[in-house]
Amino acid sequence: MGSASFDPTRAVRFDLPQGSVRAGSDGERVLLVPTQALDELVLSAPPEAVEALGRALGSAIGRRAAARMDAQSAPVDAFVTQLAGEAAMAGVGTLRIERWGRALVVLVEGSTLVGTLLAPLVASAIEAASGRRVAATLLSRDERVARILVGSEGGVARVRDWIASGMAWGQALTKLHGGAS
Amino acid sequence: VSKGDTIAKLESLLFRVRARAAEPRRPAPVAIAYAPAPALALAPAPAPAVLIAPAPAPAPAFVEESGPPPARSSVDDEATLAQPTRPPPAATEADIVVDVDVQDVTGDAVIGVPAEEVPVPDASESRERLVAAEPVVEMAAPEVPAPAAEERSQDVLAAEEDVEEAPLSSRRPVAPQPEERIAEIAFGAEEPQPPRHTPPPESGRLPAAPVVEFDGDVTGVHETPAVPHRAAPETPMPRRAPELVPEVTAAELAPSDAVADVVGEAQAFSPSTFVALLDASLAL
């Protein structure tokens, strides 16, 4: 469980006679959904529904990652490896982390999901894997990379307000550390 | 001689003169001369004088000194020249030559006293008085060619009647004001002041304009002098632009190692586990 590499053997099982797909060690049933269907849902659903959807997707990823490691004692790279492995098995994209001082920033590359869906997904995945209640907000988003800040509810809310007021996300992170800005 | 006698003689002389004056004039050997100053005046003062001089008086000299008598006759000259030859004591009334000198300037009246014998009670006394008369001091007459006697007399009378007043345009002395004069006396004269007034231009006829002969062919229209045609300005030679030389001002910086001062506690933060990192992020 404390392996630094991710072992995807038998990570997903397709039961063709039963017409089911199962993932993880506990055989949780999954559904292969086209991304376009999710995009239409996100575009038409209210923000709270979108956030709930994202949290549900992320929670599943986090629980499967936590089954692969001792999250409380796992080093950063080991934790990131198992979490990124499970996110890749779910088709979310490639997941990495950045440390901006004490702030934890997660990068998701190559994802087809929209930003409003990715932020609650990442936060829920880490929360499920680590056992800590965390909050997340989207710092930036381009065609390849989505950068998401993970932190407390209060910290994330301040950074969101600063960015909404026009502050660059880098300055917002600096200010979050107590620096003058 | 008492006053009574003198008065009687004068009255007799006056009577005789009046009588003679009433008679028609005739040529007589009377010497008439002009004297500048009268000794005995029959007319009002500066008026003409009638001089009655005795026969032996130096009449010729008197005549010569006076101005040129214009109306003098040849008879006068003969009489004048003949008088000094006669001895004075033996002379009678007929021999008395009375020179009537009329002032050249005035000459208002010429009284001719004939030298013929006059019935005078005492002729010798009269002659004596006349001889005693002092010679008249002759005043120099202006050397101006004397016009006719009548014209001169009229002019002189007219001039005497009129009060001579300086014309407005004539020169008149300009004296400082009394106050200034007093101030000059008291404090001394200051800087010489420029002349206050300039004399007015002399009156008189204006000089005539010079006679200019005009030529009929000249119409007054002048031809414009030919202006030399200006040649087109030659294109100026392109001036060579001065070469620009940059002036370099550079700072001399010495190499130093202590340039960067990295302050980042986060960089020193290296959590061992992901949960530690997550807790640190949650602590922000």
Side-chain angles (χ1 to χ4, degrees):
Chain A
M1 296 291 294
S3 155
S5 59
F6 175 75
D7 183 9
T9 305
R10 299 179 184 252
V12 177
R13 291 188 300 243
F14 288 90
D15 186 356
L16 293 179
Q18 300 295 324
S20 63
V21 179
R22 296 188 181 265
S25 58
D26 56 356
E28 179 183 17
R29 203 168 168 170
V30 297
L31 179 63
L32 296 178
V33 178
T35 56
Q36 184 175 2
L38 288 176
D39 291 339
E40 291 178 359
L41 177 64
V42 170
L43 292 175
S44 60
E48 295 80 5
V50 175
E51 184 175 358
L53 177 61
R55 284 195 168 270
L57 294 175
S59 175
I61 295 172
R63 282 196 304 271
R64 289 193 294 269
R68 293 177 177 265
M69 62 179 174
D70 184 4
Q72 300 300 321
S73 60
V76 175
D77 54 345
F79 190 96
V80 171
T81 300
Q82 300 305 319
L83 186 60
E86 289 296 334
M89 291 292 296
V92 172
T94 306
L95 188 149
R96 296 182 301 165
I97 63 170
E98 292 177 347
R99 287 191 301 119
W100 289 75
R102 293 181 179 272
L104 174 63
V105 176
V106 178
L107 276 70
V108 181
E109 293 185 71
S111 175
T112 58
L113 301 177
V114 296
T116 55
L117 190 59
L118 279 177
L121 186 152
V122 170
S124 178
I126 293 175
E127 182 175 328
S130 63
R132 306 285 195 280
R133 185 171 180 81
V134 299
T137 182
L138 184 67
L139 296 177
S140 64
R141 176 78 163 110
D142 55 22
E143 295 178 354
R144 291 183 56 255
V145 179
R147 186 172 280 104
I148 301 165
L149 171 66
V150 178
S152 64
E153 291 285 343
V156 169
R158 293 195 302 272
V159 172
R160 185 184 298 116
D161 294 340
W162 292 335
I163 293 174
S165 64
M167 184 180 296
W169 60 269
Q171 292 180 350
L173 291 179
T174 304
K175 189 173 182 178
L176 183 63
H177 284 79
S181 169
Chain B
V1 179
S2 63
K3 292 184 179 178
D5 296 338
T6 304
I7 293 171
K9 290 177 181 178
L10 289 175
E11 288 178 350
S12 62
L13 178 61
L14 179 61
F15 175 78
R16 187 176 56 191
V17 169
R18 287 178 178 172
R20 293 289 179 84
E23 294 178 356
R25 294 189 177 182
R26 58 182 178 181
V30 175
I32 301 174
Y34 293 93
L40 197 156
L42 297 179
V50 175
L51 295 181
I52 301 174
F62 199 0
V63 172
E64 291 176 358
E65 292 178 1
S66 62
R72 199 164 190 178
S73 63
S74 61
V75 178
D76 297 338
D77 295 337
E78 293 177 355
T80 304
L81 293 174
Q83 291 299 325
T85 59
R86 296 177 182 178
T92 60
E93 284 298 324
D95 296 333
I96 296 174
V97 176
V98 178
D99 291 341
V100 178
D101 295 341
V102 178
Q103 191 175 1
D104 190 9
V105 181
T106 58
D108 67 335
V110 176
I111 300 175
V113 179
E116 61 185 7
E117 186 178 359
V118 179
V120 178
D122 190 357
S124 61
E125 291 181 359
S126 176
R127 183 171 61 249
E128 217 174 298
R129 179 186 57 79
L130 293 173
V131 170
E134 297 179 355
V136 178
V137 179
E138 183 181 3
M139 296 181 65
E143 297 294 336
V144 179
E150 295 179 359
E151 294 178 1
R152 285 186 300 177
S153 61
Q154 293 176 0
D155 295 339
V156 171
L157 289 175
E160 289 178 350
E161 290 176 1
D162 296 337
V163 178
E164 292 184 357
E165 292 182 355
L168 296 177
S169 61
S170 66
R171 293 187 179 180
R172 53 189 178 278
V174 178
Q177 297 295 331
E179 296 79 4
E180 298 179 3
R181 179 62 180 165
I182 295 172
E184 289 181 359
I185 294 172
F187 306 106
E190 296 179 352
E191 296 180 356
Q193 298 180 354
R196 299 186 177 183
H197 302 285
T198 56
E202 294 182 357
S203 59
R205 299 178 62 183
L206 295 175
V211 178
V212 180
E213 294 182 356
F214 295 97
D215 189 358
D217 297 336
V218 178
T219 60
V221 178
H222 302 280
E223 294 182 355
T224 304
V227 178
H229 180 66
R230 265 191 187 176
E234 297 179 355
T235 55
M237 296 294 292
R239 298 178 61 183
R240 179 177 296 176
E243 296 181 355
L244 298 178
V245 179
E247 295 182 1
V248 180
T249 302
E252 297 179 358
L253 301 176
S256 176
D257 295 335
V259 175
D261 184 13
V262 179
V263 178
E265 187 182 356
Q267 301 299 332
F269 175 71
S270 58
S272 59
T273 62
F274 182 82
V275 175
L277 174 60
L278 182 60
D279 292 339
S281 181
L282 292 174
L284 294 175

